[in-house]
Amino acid sequence: MSEHKIKLWIKNIIRDFIQNSPENSLKDATGEKAWEDCLIGFSNGADSIFQEYKEHVGSFHMTPLELFTKSFPEAEHKADQLTVISWILPQTDQTKCDNRKQTGYPAERWARARIFGEQTNAALRDHVVATLQGQGYQAIAPQLSPYWKRKTSDKFGFASTWSERHAAYASGLGTFGLCDGLITPKGKAMRCGSVIADIQIPPTVRPYQDHHEYCLFFTEGICKRCIPRCPAGAISELGHDKIKCRGYMFPMINEYVKAHYHFDGYGCGLCQTGVPCESKIPTAKDVK
């Protein structure tokens, strides 16, 4: 297949799963879908941005080549022969509507999307890997790899050996906001995933020059709507306090979800809803 056909083939694999797989479910009484749409981008394994992540986040943050070499040590690999396949799964309109109304705890749909929607995301990762391998391409989902581990960054605190949001940024899918969320053309209310494969696909052009380009606070000094949306007080003009955020998530939100929604879950997302960047790249007009 040509590179163009390969790109379309992979996009269809992902979109078909989201549209048709029974795995795509909030696991509620009606079997409502967790996700109804997706954005897909690609980046090359030799892109210098992955080395920059090691320098910026921490030396523990792995490049595509490092992950691939550890996962498939029996073969020799070259960075420029690898492609990072990245996707965005925007929250559904109903999930965003429900969460927009919340002030202290997540709506049930949002909490379900965090747990069962992420299970869908994990199944999608597995499906993409299995489909590629079935056609003779080596592939790995970093988030599901034994080499994915939680780490502590000297600059940013909680971190990991591979970041799905940073893979999406590298693949032209969005830039970071004041609350650390990734603002995409479908907004910040989303989850993301990625797979690395030994397949040649032209990278998606990054339509931005700065990692904060879509956030109105950083570009125009306005908005800051995510600050009062945070029930933990974990967002300020200085950014996102991950420790304070997690301290509110566990045990408070976790206990609330178990008591009110009757499953072991968590999630919050208040800073991702009820804000101008909830479902789009915002403009100054959106904050007036």
Side-chain angles (χ1 to χ4, degrees):
M1 286 189 288
S2 67
E3 291 183 346
H4 176 69
K5 287 184 177 180
I6 290 174
K7 176 183 282 192
L8 290 178
W9 172 57
I10 289 178
K11 285 186 173 183
N12 286 335
I13 292 169
I14 297 169
R15 287 176 174 145
D16 178 72
F17 184 92
I18 293 302
Q19 291 170 7
N20 300 311
S21 174
E23 297 273 4
N24 182 12
S25 171
L26 289 178
K27 302 292 194 298
D28 59 1
T30 66
E32 181 178 331
K33 283 187 176 183
W35 318 107
E36 292 180 348
D37 197 4
C38 58
L39 298 173
I40 303 162
F42 306 90
S43 49
N44 187 269
D47 193 317
S48 62
I49 198 168
F50 293 109
Q51 185 61 40
E52 292 171 16
Y53 290 161
K54 292 181 73 69
E55 299 165 1
H56 190 59
V57 178
S59 59
F60 54 79
H61 196 282
M62 301 181 75
T63 66
L65 181 59
E66 287 174 327
L67 268 165
F68 222 74
T69 300
K70 283 181 174 292
S71 302
F72 303 102
E74 72 285 354
E76 183 177 347
H77 306 282
K78 295 183 178 179
D80 62 0
Q81 295 175 344
L82 302 177
T83 292
V84 178
I85 304 161
S86 184
W87 57 82
I88 302 296
L89 301 177
Q91 298 281 1
T92 67
D93 289 343
Q94 189 59 62
T95 296
K96 290 184 288 188
C97 179
D98 288 357
N99 217 51
R100 203 179 299 138
K101 300 172 185 176
Q102 301 296 111
T103 58
Y105 298 97
E108 181 174 354
R109 278 189 174 91
W110 188 280
R112 286 185 173 277
R114 177 60 185 86
I115 302 302
F116 306 116
E118 182 55 30
Q119 289 177 7
T120 301
N121 198 8
L124 173 57
R125 293 181 182 101
D126 275 336
H127 176 68
V128 172
V129 168
T131 304
L132 287 166
Q133 290 181 339
Q135 294 298 313
Y137 300 103
Q138 288 183 316
I140 183 174
Q143 189 83 22
L144 305 181
S145 162
Y147 304 109
W148 187 91
K149 299 183 184 300
R150 297 187 186 278
K151 296 287 185 177
T152 300
S153 166
D154 291 339
K155 289 184 180 179
F156 305 107
F158 297 135
S160 59
T161 53
W162 179 264
S163 165
E164 300 287 41
R165 288 177 300 132
H166 285 71
Y169 174 81
S171 301
L173 294 176
T175 75
F176 295 89
L178 181 61
C179 75
D180 278 348
L182 194 75
I183 302 172
T184 78
K186 292 285 187 179
K188 187 169 61 177
M190 60 86 201
R191 293 196 67 76
C192 47
S194 65
V195 162
I196 306 170
D198 65 342
I199 195 168
Q200 296 291 293
I201 301 173
T204 304
V205 176
R206 290 195 285 271
Y208 35 77
Q209 301 299 315
D210 182 81
H211 67 289
H212 284 140
E213 194 163 315
Y214 294 162
C215 179
L216 293 173
F217 172 73
F218 290 106
T219 58
E220 301 193 34
I222 60 174
C223 190
K224 299 183 285 188
R225 297 281 179 83
C226 56
I227 294 177
R229 283 290 288 163
C230 179
I235 305 171
S236 70
E237 292 187 10
L238 298 177
H240 176 216
D241 186 328
K242 294 181 180 180
I243 295 176
K244 189 177 288 187
C245 176
R246 185 171 179 81
Y248 186 72
M249 193 85 68
F250 302 98
M252 292 185 68
I253 289 181
N254 180 231
E255 290 179 351
Y256 181 89
V257 169
K258 286 190 285 187
H260 291 80
Y261 305 147
H262 311 296
F263 65 92
D264 189 4
Y266 54 96
C268 182
L270 269 67
C271 66
Q272 298 176 38
T273 50
V275 291
C277 54
E278 174 187 287
S279 301
K280 59 180 288 191
I281 297 169
T283 67
K285 294 180 180 179
D286 296 315
V287 301
K288 293 180 179 179

